[in-house]
Amino acid sequence: MESQLWFSEEIKGRVRLSLRIKEQLYSAHSPFQHIEIFDTYEHGRMLVLDGYIMITEKDEFIYHEMISHVPLAVNPGIRRVLIIGGGDGGSVRELLKYPFIRQIDMVEIDQMVVEACQRFIPTTSAWLTDPRVKLYFQDGIKYMAEQDNCYDLILVDSTDPDGPGEVLFSRPFYQDCYKALTSNGILVNQHEGPFYERDAVDFIKAACQIEGIFPVYKIYQFHLPTYSSGYWFFGFSSKGLDPIANFSPGRWQSLNIATDYYNPELHRGAFALPNYVQRIFQSKIYQLRAENRD
Ligand code: SAM
C-alpha cells in the first residue's frame, strides 16, 4: 500500500508539481537554507532546498550531463575546472569522466548539503572524495573575486537567484568569472527558464547581467521533468570559443565518454531556440536593461 505522503513544489500558488513520497529521510536548517531529502516512489531520492526541487535520482543525469559535456565538447584543452555550488556532486561525477581534467575545485557555501548528499544520495555524491577534487565551503562570490586567469571552465551550478544563490546572478560576479578564466575559458551558468513568468523574470535578469561581458554569450536548452515547466536553460559564455563553430563531434566521440542524455546531435539542437524564447531573450526589458546598464 503506497503512502498518502506527497511533496509539492508550487509556482505562485497556481501550478504544482507533486511527487508521492515513501519517507522523508532528512530535514535540517543550515545557516543558509532548509535542506530536505525524500525517498520518492517514481523518482528515487530527491534533494529539496528551501522547498525547491534540486535533484532527483531519476532525472539529475540530464542536468549534470548538459552542464558539463557541452563545454567539454567545445574545448578539449580544459584542465582546471571551478564549480560554484554543486553540493550534490553530480557535476563532479560527469567532469571526472574526462582523464585530461587535472583539477576540480568545488566552492559550495553549505557543507551540510554535501554531508546530507554523501549520506543519502551516493549516486551523485560518491565522487566528491576523488583525489582530483578539492572542496571549499565558502561563498562563491568571495572566492571568485580572488581568482585571476586560472580556470579553463567555470560551472555555476547554483540554486535560483534568491537566498544564498542571489549573488551568483549579479554583473560583478560574472565580471569576476571573466577575470578568473584563462584565454580559452568558458563559463556555463544556471540560467533559469522562459516558460512561467516567475522564472522568465530571472531568465531575463540573468541575460541582462551577463550581456556585454563576454565576446561569446549564448543560451542552450534542456528538458528536466522535475524543474519548473520541465524546460530549463544554461548560459554559455566564452572569451572566443563558439559552442557550435568550435564544436567537433568526431573529437568528442573519440573520447568514448558514456552518457545517457548528451550526444553531438543534441548539442547542436540545444542552441536552436523556439521563436517565443528568442522573443523573450531579445525582449524590450532585456534591451532596455542592457542599454541602461551602469
Ligand atoms: N546540481 C543541482 C541541480 O541539478 O539542480 C543544482 C543545485 S545544487 C544543490 C546548488 C547548490 O548551490 C546548493 O548546494 C547551494 O548550497 C549552493 N549555493 C547557493 N548559493 C551559493 C553561493 N553563494 N556560493 C556557493 N554555493 C552556493
Side-chain angles (χ1 to χ4, degrees):
M1 168 75 166
E2 295 201 350
S3 85
Q4 291 313 308
L5 264 177
W6 289 83
F7 169 85
S8 294
E9 182 179 314
E10 201 167 281
I11 301 170
K12 292 184 86 165
R14 294 179 186 156
V15 175
R16 275 189 189 164
L17 168 71
S18 299
L19 297 178
R20 178 170 249 153
I21 302 296
K22 284 183 188 167
E23 62 173 313
Q24 185 181 53
L25 299 169
Y26 179 86
S27 173
H29 287 271
S30 79
F32 306 99
Q33 53 213 335
H34 182 199
I35 308 166
E36 296 172 280
I37 293 182
F38 296 93
D39 195 5
T40 73
Y41 285 99
E42 187 57 35
H43 277 258
R45 301 236 166 139
M46 171 169 72
L47 170 67
V48 171
L49 296 180
D50 282 344
Y52 293 104
I53 297 173
M54 290 291 124
I55 64 164
T56 77
E57 286 186 309
K58 189 176 178 74
D59 65 1
E60 57 80 14
F61 72 96
I62 298 172
Y63 177 103
H64 294 122
E65 287 190 17
M66 286 306 277
I67 199 173
S68 44
H69 300 304
V70 166
L72 278 150
V74 173
N75 180 5
I78 290 172
R79 299 291 177 269
R80 287 194 69 202
V81 184
L82 171 59
I83 300 175
I84 302 295
D88 51 272
S91 297
V92 164
R93 179 194 64 210
E94 293 305 313
L95 292 170
L96 286 172
K97 291 179 179 175
Y98 293 83
F100 54 66
I101 289 181
R102 290 206 200 99
Q103 182 181 335
I104 303 169
D105 293 336
M106 188 172 105
V107 180
E108 164 57 62
I109 199 167
D110 197 339
Q111 187 165 357
M112 286 175 66
V113 171
V114 172
E115 289 164 353
C117 291
Q118 285 178 315
R119 206 168 132 206
F120 294 105
I121 315 183
T123 47
T124 58
S125 62
W127 289 261
L128 289 173
T129 50
D130 185 284
R132 287 187 279 172
V133 180
K134 209 153 175 250
L135 300 182
Y136 300 83
F137 296 114
Q138 66 178 89
D139 192 332
I141 188 120
K142 198 172 137 313
Y143 183 90
M144 193 66 77
E146 294 154 7
Q147 308 310 313
D148 195 334
N149 185 33
C150 51
Y151 289 104
D152 307 309
L153 174 61
I154 296 174
L155 304 183
V156 183
D157 179 7
S158 72
T159 42
D160 298 321
D162 29 43
E166 188 170 3
V167 291
L168 305 179
F169 288 77
S170 69
R171 191 164 187 76
F173 174 73
Y174 292 130
Q175 286 167 331
D176 283 343
C177 290
Y178 184 94
K179 184 169 65 64
L181 284 168
T182 53
S183 56
N184 258 344
I186 296 172
L187 162 70
V188 174
N189 67 291
Q190 215 269 71
H191 205 293
E192 302 295 306
F195 192 73
Y196 289 121
E197 202 240 342
R198 175 201 69 176
D199 306 324
V201 167
D202 292 337
F203 178 83
I204 291 172
K205 255 194 241 168
C208 292
Q209 296 301 314
I210 300 178
E211 165 63 24
I213 299 175
F214 291 83
V216 176
Y217 162 49
K218 296 193 171 158
I219 55 172
Y220 63 100
Q221 65 206 334
F222 57 100
H223 88 267
L224 192 65
T226 51
Y227 265 25
S228 150
S229 81
Y231 182 49
W232 217 245
F233 277 74
F234 286 123
F236 179 107
S237 302
S238 86
K239 293 187 176 180
L241 290 174
D242 182 278
I244 301 296
N246 295 104
F247 163 54
S248 154
R251 183 180 59 201
W252 186 81
Q253 279 161 326
S254 68
L255 296 172
N256 290 319
I257 303 285
T259 55
D260 295 315
Y261 185 85
Y262 177 85
N263 64 54
E265 297 70 37
L266 188 125
H267 177 117
R268 288 186 197 288
F271 288 88
L273 306 182
N275 290 352
Y276 87 95
V277 176
Q278 292 184 39
R279 276 197 300 276
I280 293 174
F281 195 52
Q282 301 305 335
S283 74
K284 196 75 204 107
I285 306 174
Y286 173 33
Q287 281 156 352
L288 200 68
R289 290 241 181 109
E291 280 149 25
N292 297 339
R293 204 175 43 241
D294 48 351

Short mmCIF file of all heavy atoms in Angstrom, two decimals, residues 33 47 49 54-55 63-64 84-88 107-110 113 138-140 157-159 164-165 167-168 227, ligand 1:
data_model
loop_
_atom_site.label_atom_id
_atom_site.label_comp_id
_atom_site.label_asym_id
_atom_site.label_seq_id
_atom_site.Cartn_x
_atom_site.Cartn_y
_atom_site.Cartn_z
N GLN A 33 19.92 27.59 4.48
CA GLN A 33 18.67 27.14 3.83
C GLN A 33 18.12 25.92 4.58
O GLN A 33 18.81 25.31 5.39
CB GLN A 33 18.96 26.76 2.38
CG GLN A 33 20.10 25.77 2.20
CD GLN A 33 20.89 25.98 0.92
OE1 GLN A 33 20.40 26.53 -0.08
NE2 GLN A 33 22.15 25.55 0.94
N LEU A 47 16.62 15.74 -3.48
CA LEU A 47 17.14 16.83 -2.63
C LEU A 47 16.27 18.06 -2.87
O LEU A 47 16.04 18.44 -4.01
CB LEU A 47 18.59 17.14 -3.00
CG LEU A 47 19.20 18.41 -2.38
CD1 LEU A 47 19.34 18.28 -0.86
CD2 LEU A 47 20.55 18.73 -3.03
N LEU A 49 15.81 22.14 -1.51
CA LEU A 49 16.38 23.25 -0.72
C LEU A 49 15.36 24.37 -0.68
O LEU A 49 14.86 24.80 -1.74
CB LEU A 49 17.69 23.75 -1.36
CG LEU A 49 18.85 22.75 -1.39
CD1 LEU A 49 20.08 23.41 -2.04
CD2 LEU A 49 19.21 22.22 -0.02
N MET A 54 15.87 20.29 -6.16
CA MET A 54 17.20 20.49 -6.73
C MET A 54 17.55 19.32 -7.64
O MET A 54 17.85 19.50 -8.79
CB MET A 54 18.24 20.57 -5.60
CG MET A 54 18.13 21.82 -4.79
SD MET A 54 18.62 23.26 -5.74
CE MET A 54 17.16 24.26 -5.59
N ILE A 55 17.53 18.11 -7.08
CA ILE A 55 17.81 16.93 -7.92
C ILE A 55 16.89 15.79 -7.51
O ILE A 55 16.44 15.71 -6.38
CB ILE A 55 19.27 16.43 -7.78
CG1 ILE A 55 19.57 15.95 -6.35
CG2 ILE A 55 20.28 17.45 -8.23
CD1 ILE A 55 20.82 15.11 -6.26
N TYR A 63 20.52 17.19 -16.25
CA TYR A 63 21.10 18.48 -15.83
C TYR A 63 22.63 18.37 -15.80
O TYR A 63 23.35 19.19 -16.39
CB TYR A 63 20.56 18.84 -14.45
CG TYR A 63 21.10 20.10 -13.83
CD1 TYR A 63 20.34 21.27 -13.81
CD2 TYR A 63 22.37 20.13 -13.25
CE1 TYR A 63 20.83 22.43 -13.23
CE2 TYR A 63 22.86 21.29 -12.67
CZ TYR A 63 22.08 22.42 -12.66
OH TYR A 63 22.57 23.58 -12.07
N HIS A 64 23.14 17.32 -15.14
CA HIS A 64 24.59 17.24 -14.92
C HIS A 64 25.35 16.90 -16.21
O HIS A 64 26.51 17.31 -16.38
CB HIS A 64 24.89 16.25 -13.80
CG HIS A 64 24.39 16.73 -12.49
ND1 HIS A 64 23.49 16.03 -11.71
CD2 HIS A 64 24.59 17.91 -11.83
CE1 HIS A 64 23.19 16.73 -10.63
NE2 HIS A 64 23.85 17.88 -10.68
N ILE A 84 30.91 26.44 -8.86
CA ILE A 84 30.33 27.22 -7.77
C ILE A 84 28.98 26.57 -7.44
O ILE A 84 28.13 26.43 -8.31
CB ILE A 84 30.11 28.70 -8.16
CG1 ILE A 84 31.43 29.34 -8.59
CG2 ILE A 84 29.46 29.48 -7.00
CD1 ILE A 84 32.47 29.46 -7.48
N GLY A 85 28.82 26.14 -6.18
CA GLY A 85 27.61 25.40 -5.80
C GLY A 85 27.86 23.91 -6.01
O GLY A 85 28.89 23.39 -5.58
N GLY A 86 26.89 23.23 -6.62
CA GLY A 86 27.11 21.83 -6.98
C GLY A 86 27.14 20.85 -5.83
O GLY A 86 27.69 19.76 -5.94
N GLY A 87 26.49 21.23 -4.70
CA GLY A 87 26.62 20.46 -3.46
C GLY A 87 26.26 18.99 -3.56
O GLY A 87 26.73 18.16 -2.78
N ASP A 88 25.43 18.59 -4.51
CA ASP A 88 25.03 17.18 -4.62
C ASP A 88 26.12 16.33 -5.26
O ASP A 88 26.11 15.11 -5.15
CB ASP A 88 23.74 17.08 -5.46
CG ASP A 88 23.92 17.84 -6.77
OD1 ASP A 88 23.65 19.05 -6.79
OD2 ASP A 88 24.40 17.25 -7.75
N VAL A 107 33.34 25.06 -4.92
CA VAL A 107 33.12 26.06 -3.86
C VAL A 107 31.63 26.07 -3.51
O VAL A 107 30.81 26.61 -4.24
CB VAL A 107 33.59 27.45 -4.31
CG1 VAL A 107 33.36 28.49 -3.21
CG2 VAL A 107 35.06 27.42 -4.71
N GLU A 108 31.31 25.42 -2.42
CA GLU A 108 29.92 25.20 -2.00
C GLU A 108 29.73 25.90 -0.66
O GLU A 108 30.47 25.64 0.29
CB GLU A 108 29.67 23.70 -1.89
CG GLU A 108 28.43 23.28 -1.10
CD GLU A 108 27.15 23.87 -1.64
OE1 GLU A 108 26.79 23.57 -2.80
OE2 GLU A 108 26.50 24.62 -0.89
N ILE A 109 28.74 26.78 -0.59
CA ILE A 109 28.57 27.60 0.62
C ILE A 109 28.11 26.76 1.81
O ILE A 109 28.38 27.12 2.96
CB ILE A 109 27.58 28.75 0.34
CG1 ILE A 109 27.73 29.88 1.38
CG2 ILE A 109 26.13 28.26 0.29
CD1 ILE A 109 27.01 31.17 0.98
N ASP A 110 27.42 25.64 1.53
CA ASP A 110 26.75 24.92 2.62
C ASP A 110 27.26 23.50 2.78
O ASP A 110 26.85 22.58 2.06
CB ASP A 110 25.23 24.91 2.32
CG ASP A 110 24.41 24.57 3.56
OD1 ASP A 110 24.98 23.98 4.50
OD2 ASP A 110 23.21 24.89 3.56
N VAL A 113 24.82 20.53 2.98
CA VAL A 113 24.23 19.94 1.76
C VAL A 113 25.10 18.78 1.29
O VAL A 113 24.63 17.68 1.00
CB VAL A 113 24.09 20.99 0.63
CG1 VAL A 113 23.68 20.33 -0.68
CG2 VAL A 113 23.08 22.07 1.01
N GLN A 138 32.61 27.83 1.21
CA GLN A 138 32.54 29.28 1.38
C GLN A 138 31.65 29.89 0.30
O GLN A 138 31.23 29.19 -0.64
CB GLN A 138 33.93 29.91 1.33
CG GLN A 138 34.62 29.81 0.00
CD GLN A 138 35.99 30.51 0.01
OE1 GLN A 138 37.00 29.91 0.33
NE2 GLN A 138 36.03 31.78 -0.34
N ASP A 139 31.39 31.18 0.41
CA ASP A 139 30.53 31.85 -0.55
C ASP A 139 31.26 32.00 -1.90
O ASP A 139 32.38 32.51 -1.93
CB ASP A 139 30.15 33.24 0.00
CG ASP A 139 29.02 33.88 -0.79
OD1 ASP A 139 28.90 33.58 -2.00
OD2 ASP A 139 28.26 34.67 -0.20
N GLY A 140 30.63 31.55 -2.95
CA GLY A 140 31.26 31.58 -4.27
C GLY A 140 31.61 32.98 -4.74
O GLY A 140 32.58 33.18 -5.46
N ASP A 157 26.75 26.11 -10.76
CA ASP A 157 25.75 25.06 -10.55
C ASP A 157 24.99 25.42 -9.27
O ASP A 157 25.12 24.77 -8.22
CB ASP A 157 26.51 23.74 -10.41
CG ASP A 157 25.61 22.56 -10.18
OD1 ASP A 157 24.37 22.72 -10.26
OD2 ASP A 157 26.14 21.46 -9.89
N SER A 158 24.23 26.52 -9.36
CA SER A 158 23.72 27.14 -8.13
C SER A 158 22.21 26.94 -7.97
O SER A 158 21.53 26.47 -8.88
CB SER A 158 24.00 28.65 -8.19
OG SER A 158 23.14 29.24 -9.15
N THR A 159 21.74 27.38 -6.84
CA THR A 159 20.30 27.49 -6.62
C THR A 159 19.79 28.69 -7.42
O THR A 159 20.56 29.32 -8.12
CB THR A 159 20.03 27.71 -5.11
OG1 THR A 159 20.99 28.66 -4.61
CG2 THR A 159 20.16 26.42 -4.32
N PRO A 164 20.91 32.27 -0.76
CA PRO A 164 22.37 32.39 -0.95
C PRO A 164 22.77 32.46 -2.43
O PRO A 164 23.84 32.95 -2.77
CB PRO A 164 22.92 31.12 -0.29
CG PRO A 164 21.79 30.17 -0.21
CD PRO A 164 20.54 31.00 -0.10
N GLY A 165 21.91 31.98 -3.32
CA GLY A 165 22.26 31.97 -4.74
C GLY A 165 22.11 33.30 -5.44
O GLY A 165 22.60 33.50 -6.55
N VAL A 167 23.45 36.25 -5.21
CA VAL A 167 24.68 36.99 -5.60
C VAL A 167 25.34 36.38 -6.84
O VAL A 167 26.11 37.02 -7.53
CB VAL A 167 25.70 37.03 -4.44
CG1 VAL A 167 25.22 37.90 -3.31
CG2 VAL A 167 26.04 35.62 -3.94
N LEU A 168 24.99 35.12 -7.13
CA LEU A 168 25.62 34.44 -8.27
C LEU A 168 24.95 34.78 -9.59
O LEU A 168 25.25 34.19 -10.63
CB LEU A 168 25.61 32.93 -8.02
CG LEU A 168 26.24 32.46 -6.71
CD1 LEU A 168 26.15 30.95 -6.59
CD2 LEU A 168 27.67 32.94 -6.56
N TYR A 227 12.02 20.13 -12.97
CA TYR A 227 12.22 21.58 -12.84
C TYR A 227 10.96 22.27 -13.35
O TYR A 227 10.27 21.75 -14.22
CB TYR A 227 13.45 22.04 -13.64
CG TYR A 227 14.71 22.13 -12.81
CD1 TYR A 227 14.87 21.36 -11.66
CD2 TYR A 227 15.74 23.00 -13.14
CE1 TYR A 227 16.03 21.44 -10.90
CE2 TYR A 227 16.91 23.08 -12.39
CZ TYR A 227 17.03 22.29 -11.26
OH TYR A 227 18.18 22.37 -10.51
N1 SAM B 1 23.17 20.24 -9.22
C1 SAM B 1 21.90 20.77 -8.85
C2 SAM B 1 20.85 20.51 -9.89
O1 SAM B 1 20.98 19.52 -10.60
O2 SAM B 1 19.90 21.30 -9.95
C3 SAM B 1 21.96 22.26 -8.63
C4 SAM B 1 21.66 22.61 -7.27
S1 SAM B 1 23.00 22.49 -6.18
C5 SAM B 1 22.30 21.57 -4.95
C6 SAM B 1 23.00 24.20 -5.74
C7 SAM B 1 23.99 24.50 -4.66
O3 SAM B 1 24.37 25.88 -4.72
C8 SAM B 1 23.44 24.29 -3.23
O4 SAM B 1 24.11 23.21 -2.63
C9 SAM B 1 23.70 25.62 -2.52
O5 SAM B 1 24.10 25.48 -1.18
C10 SAM B 1 24.80 26.22 -3.38
N2 SAM B 1 24.92 27.69 -3.30
C11 SAM B 1 23.93 28.61 -3.28
N3 SAM B 1 24.44 29.85 -3.17
C12 SAM B 1 25.80 29.71 -3.13
C13 SAM B 1 26.89 30.63 -3.03
N4 SAM B 1 26.67 31.98 -2.92
N5 SAM B 1 28.15 30.15 -3.03
C14 SAM B 1 28.38 28.79 -3.14
N6 SAM B 1 27.39 27.86 -3.21
C15 SAM B 1 26.11 28.33 -3.22
#
